[in-house]
Amino acid sequence: MSDLVNPVEQFLRSDRMPHIWCPGCGIGTTVNCFAQALIESKVDLESLAVVSGIGCTGRVAGYVKLDSFHTTHGRAIPFATGLKLANPKLNVVVYSGDGDLSAIGGNHLIHAARRNIDLKVICVNNLIYAMTGGQTAPTTPDHAITSTNPYGVFEPSFNLPHLVEAAGAVYVARWTTFHVRQLARSISEAFKKKGFSFIEVISPCPTLYQRRNKLGDGLDTMKYYKEKSKTRHGAPTSEVGLTMTGEIIVGKFVDRDRPDYQTMMRGQMTESLGDKFAEQAEMVCS
Amino acid sequence: MKADPRGVLTGTHFMDGDHACCEGALAAGARFAAGYPITPSTEVVERFASRIPTVGGTFIQMEDELAASITLQGAVWGGAKAFTVTSGPGFSLMMEHIGYAAMTETPCVFVDVQRGGPSTGLPTLPAQADMMQARWGSHGDYEIIALCPNSPQECFDLTIKAFNLAEEFRVPVMFMMDEVVGHMTEKVVIPPADQIEVVPRKHTHKSVSEYLPYGTNGDMVPEIAHAGEGYKFHVTGLTHDERGYPNMTPQVQDKLVRRLQNKIRSAADRIALFEEEQTEGADVVVVSYGITSRVAQRAIGLARERGLRIGKLRLITAWPFPEKKIAELAACVKAFVVPELNLGQMVREVERAAAGKARTFAVSHAGGGVHKPEEILKVIVEASR
Ligand SMILES: Cc1ncc(C[n+]2csc(CCOP(=O)(O)OP(=O)(O)O)c2C)c(N)n1
Ligand code: SF4
Ligand SMILES: [Mg+2]
């Protein structure tokens, strides 16, 4: 067995192992799927950049052997926007948590989708702020116990696929960490799209969310994902909201095409300025 | 390196400080700006938005200043020279990302056209009350560079300087304008591109296997690589080692944070720009900057007409503060007079650097206008006694 090398290892910074994630955490599983997608889609690794915000998921940028940026809490998307616009040849992946992307970074999420910036967003949704100890996130389901809602959450949660579809995303999918093959395939598909793609991965945080809500360990959560997930490609995103123990609708909900930000910009400038419009030169100022 | 002629609007112009700042950025090679509208700074990005499509580059109006101040940094790591422009309320929102730029050593420029505060304050009227915020506004220990133009011509010249310093030291540079300088229209001479010196990015020439993203070669400023070049490097706002990897030990923290400080402090004399006039034999030196320096000039003239021996020190670099110069002068003069459009900010630095050797008089103003020369004169007379 010892000569069998895990195929994802080539994408990881081996000199940074072991990682910080807890046993049973789903984030590592999503990274395996991401690596699998890199193999399947054969994307050029030299022109691939990963941008993360802050959180347990935000640490992904530090473990992948790629150009990788660990930015500030909530601001992975605007950082990635600047990176992509300055060098359109880059393939830019935003890899971050539900709180980072939809709470503190929620404004950037909807505006990047509206502008259709060509970014692939992987949102690990563990339904909680994990890094800081299990506080309520905008995604935490009704009645769940968190450290800041010790008597149960009562504020309604975000249905992220619905939100980003409404804002304009061209590709929206949701899987759980049980659906490893489907998740890898979705990531590969997103690499082929031009525009704002959003993949939500429902993922366990046994340490803080599952334990506090008496939902068992990582394995119990896999069982729950397996039993309660229903694949419904093309499901109306308004119908895919989550509850604490109910059904989880997974699948590819949105796959549509509209011009991305840079295509629209070029079109508008050419229309208004004609020959005077100067294509952005290579910006690299060395 | 000489400026790229595509960005240089050579000629003699009649333009305001905001527009001149934009032309300075273009001449310096800025090809990316991210902004969010706010008076009295918006004209800078409005001009950039109209100019950049014919020069070749991008302007994006972001959803807020939190976004603008990090979008520009993404652009820098993508290879661009980039900046953002704002005023007080927006500057406050940008603070976390000034710290991020300092920590990750992202060369970039933040323009703050100062207006009256706190809060929404005086949207259309001047102040110089963000000077300490520019230095200390983000949490933690770090150093930045800040420049203060006092005319549209300097808005052009010093914006180029700001970009050059940002690249040389890999540091965020604060360009501290004020509403009056931003909106005043004067002659601005833009030289031919081949007469404009531009500092290129300190890009690494090392091979992928040799390259250490935060390793230094004695000068304390590491070499940079851009995304997409094959270096597969990591950048983080966490405390990091020379590989750029998080390492949250007191030892690595000490080494990193001291280097970030020392790379600027050790070059402070070279960075410190000021204009000095008749300080030799002076009893009193008036220390001022930005628009206030032009009012102070009048007050100094009036005082000299009365036979007083008055020197002038105009700060062009506010940070790092030219403390050596002040200390030198303090040994020879009776007092400093420091007029500024705030209730006493840079005057504290003057007082600290003078270290009791000369007295320090503030001439404060809460903003919304400029001093009357007589107000400054009165304090000069008092200080001369
Ligand atoms: C400006 C700012 N506010 C608050 C924090 C503290 N903080 C760090 S991570 C985090 C929440 C992360 O939650 P999520 O994005 O869901 O990531 P997870 O840890 O669950 O993967 C918070 C509030 C911070 N780092 N920066
Ligand atoms: S706290 Fe939760 S999300 Fe963070 S590493 Fe542990 S299990 Fe994963
Ligand atoms: Mg989370």
Side-chain angles (χ1 to χ4, degrees):
Chain A
M1 285 297 279
S2 62
D3 58 349
L4 261 186
V5 179
N6 181 341
V8 310
E9 254 164 44
Q10 56 179 312
F11 303 105
L12 300 179
R13 298 182 194 276
S14 50
D15 50 353
R16 288 220 56 219
M17 297 299 141
H19 58 67
I20 60 157
W21 297 313
C22 310
C25 176
I27 299 170
T29 311
T30 72
V31 175
N32 282 341
C33 297
F34 175 63
Q36 199 57 44
L38 297 184
I39 296 170
E40 283 168 18
S41 61
K42 301 190 179 67
V43 293
D44 173 28
L45 299 180
E46 297 217 342
S47 61
L48 180 66
V50 172
V51 183
S52 292
I54 303 293
C56 293
T57 313
R59 292 303 189 89
V60 168
Y63 295 127
V64 291
K65 206 193 287 170
L66 297 165
D67 290 332
S68 56
F69 300 91
H70 184 222
T71 64
T72 53
H73 192 26
R75 319 300 168 201
I77 285 179
F79 184 99
T81 298
L83 191 62
K84 177 71 189 176
L85 297 186
N87 184 354
K89 285 193 214 124
L90 294 174
N91 232 320
V92 182
V93 173
V94 170
Y95 212 126
S96 218
D98 51 311
D100 186 82
L101 289 165
S102 77
I104 189 165
N107 200 24
H108 313 312
L109 177 70
I110 57 176
H111 286 283
R114 170 181 67 80
R115 296 186 181 108
N116 203 21
I117 308 278
D118 186 16
L119 302 175
K120 331 295 165 197
V121 180
I122 299 171
C123 173
V124 176
N125 185 359
N126 51 18
L127 311 171
I128 202 94
Y129 284 178
M131 176 61 95
T132 41
Q135 297 82 18
T136 305
T139 45
T140 311
D142 219 4
H143 311 303
I145 305 293
T146 71
S147 68
T148 46
N149 279 114
Y151 309 110
V153 167
F154 50 87
E155 50 174 271
S157 60
F158 262 151
N159 167 350
L160 294 178
H162 191 41
L163 178 71
V164 295
E165 180 187 17
V170 293
Y171 184 95
V172 183
R174 173 198 282 156
W175 299 104
T176 74
T177 50
F178 173 74
H179 301 88
V180 290
R181 279 195 314 280
Q182 295 91 327
L183 173 57
R185 198 179 315 128
S186 262
I187 298 172
S188 297
E189 276 181 18
F191 278 126
K192 295 194 188 80
K193 296 291 293 185
K194 197 169 174 64
F196 192 85
S197 301
F198 185 88
I199 300 169
E200 179 185 28
V201 194
I202 310 300
S203 174
C205 169
T207 310
L208 297 161
Y209 179 77
Q210 267 73 18
R211 186 178 54 86
R212 206 169 262 145
N213 285 289
K214 305 196 168 51
L215 296 168
D217 58 13
L219 205 60
D220 294 314
T221 309
M222 283 306 124
K223 271 188 221 146
Y224 162 60
Y225 289 169
K226 181 173 181 229
E227 280 161 20
K228 290 291 181 93
S229 293
K230 290 245 157 49
T231 306
R232 276 177 66 198
H233 295 302
T237 53
S238 59
E239 295 170 12
V240 306
L242 297 168
T243 57
M244 198 157 66
T245 51
E247 223 172 51
I248 304 171
I249 309 293
V250 295
K252 178 167 78 178
F253 304 137
V254 177
D255 189 350
R256 58 188 173 184
D257 289 301
R258 65 187 185 97
D260 78 306
Y261 180 86
Q262 275 167 315
T263 307
M264 290 185 284
M265 176 171 75
R266 212 172 292 121
Q268 183 66 39
M269 294 299 177
T270 308
E271 193 185 311
S272 299
L273 291 166
D275 292 347
K276 281 196 268 172
F277 172 54
E279 277 288 343
Q280 175 172 305
E282 290 271 322
M283 281 203 186
V284 176
C285 50
S286 49
Chain B
M1 189 174 112
K2 301 298 174 196
D4 168 6
R6 280 175 301 184
V8 183
L9 203 65
T10 303
T12 302
H13 308 269
F14 193 53
M15 65 171 68
D16 73 14
D18 280 355
H19 286 177
C21 170
C22 172
E23 290 304 328
L26 286 165
R31 295 294 178 266
F32 190 96
Y36 188 82
I38 185 165
T39 305
S41 74
T42 314
E43 291 90 333
V44 184
V45 290
E46 285 173 342
R47 189 177 179 100
F48 195 83
S50 106
R51 291 264 285 128
I52 198 65
T54 62
V55 171
T58 298
F59 168 70
I60 183 166
Q61 183 177 319
M62 293 306 292
E63 50 275 13
D64 57 31
E65 289 87 349
L66 300 162
S69 56
I70 195 81
T71 301
L72 82 98
Q73 298 189 47
V76 169
W77 288 98
K81 285 193 180 179
F83 71 123
T84 189
V85 182
T86 191
S87 186
F91 200 47
S92 291
L93 291 182
M94 292 182 177
M95 287 301 136
E96 187 183 10
H97 292 147
I98 289 171
Y100 187 76
M103 188 64 149
T104 57
E105 299 179 76
T106 303
C108 55
V109 174
F110 289 78
V111 177
D112 176 14
V113 186
Q114 296 170 88
R115 63 191 229 182
S119 191
T120 312
L122 302 168
T124 63
L125 298 172
Q128 298 176 307
D130 305 350
M131 299 306 295
M132 284 291 168
Q133 183 182 28
R135 172 65 186 86
W136 303 106
S138 200
H139 55 281
D141 284 314
Y142 62 100
E143 289 274 336
I144 49 86
I145 295 171
L147 304 179
C148 308
N150 81 346
S151 67
Q153 181 68 52
E154 273 199 353
C155 288
F156 175 81
D157 298 335
L158 293 180
T159 300
I160 298 173
K161 184 88 193 163
F163 276 93
N164 285 348
L165 289 167
E167 296 296 339
E168 182 180 350
F169 293 98
R170 285 189 62 181
V171 70
V173 176
M174 308 298 121
F175 198 62
M176 303 304 287
M177 295 169 54
D178 55 69
E179 185 275 334
V180 180
V181 164
H183 283 159
M184 101 185 344
T185 299
E186 286 182 342
K187 183 167 117 176
V188 174
V189 180
I190 299 184
D194 61 9
Q195 290 172 27
I196 297 174
E197 208 50 54
V198 162
V199 174
R201 184 144 299 167
K202 195 173 176 187
H203 197 280
T204 189
H205 298 291
K206 296 213 170 85
S207 67
V208 169
S209 60
E210 286 173 311
Y211 179 57
L212 265 183
Y214 290 93
T216 54
N217 312 312
D219 68 349
M220 292 188 272
V221 183
E223 294 172 348
I224 201 168
H226 295 130
E229 296 175 337
Y231 287 92
K232 296 183 183 166
F233 59 89
H234 182 56
V235 171
T236 178
L238 287 169
T239 296
H240 46 271
D241 63 18
E242 296 191 330
R243 296 172 298 177
Y245 291 177
N247 182 328
M248 285 159 279
T249 59
Q251 293 77 18
V252 172
Q253 166 77 358
D254 186 81
K255 193 170 167 208
L256 173 62
V257 178
R258 285 190 196 280
R259 180 175 63 74
L260 295 180
Q261 187 174 72
N262 288 338
K263 72 174 176 178
I264 304 298
R265 288 205 178 169
S266 65
D269 289 346
R270 194 151 54 80
I271 301 169
L273 303 172
F274 46 80
E275 191 190 321
E276 194 177 356
E277 184 193 288
Q278 295 184 35
T279 49
E280 237 181 76
D283 289 324
V284 169
V285 170
V286 178
V287 182
S288 62
Y289 57 92
I291 189 58
T292 306
S293 67
R294 296 178 67 157
V295 185
Q297 188 74 47
R298 173 99 185 106
I300 291 167
L302 294 171
R304 286 179 186 154
E305 279 170 23
R306 295 185 176 199
L308 299 176
R309 287 197 303 251
I310 309 300
K312 160 181 144 183
L313 184 72
R314 175 167 75 92
L315 306 181
I316 297 172
T317 309
W319 305 111
F321 186 74
E323 46 195 278
K324 222 187 209 170
K325 184 77 223 168
I326 296 288
E328 249 171 61
L329 292 172
C332 317
V333 305
K334 276 200 247 174
F336 294 102
V337 170
V338 189
E340 45 185 346
L341 294 181
N342 58 53
L343 300 188
Q345 296 194 11
M346 298 310 287
V347 67
R348 290 166 173 262
E349 286 298 293
V350 176
E351 194 164 18
R352 187 179 62 79
K357 296 208 182 74
R359 293 202 295 159
T360 306
F361 293 80
V363 192
S364 64
H365 187 304
V370 295
H371 294 81
K372 290 195 181 73
E374 296 71 29
E375 291 163 2
I376 302 173
L377 176 66
K378 201 174 132 213
V379 182
I380 294 175
V381 171
E382 192 189 326
S384 300
R385 283 203 197 105

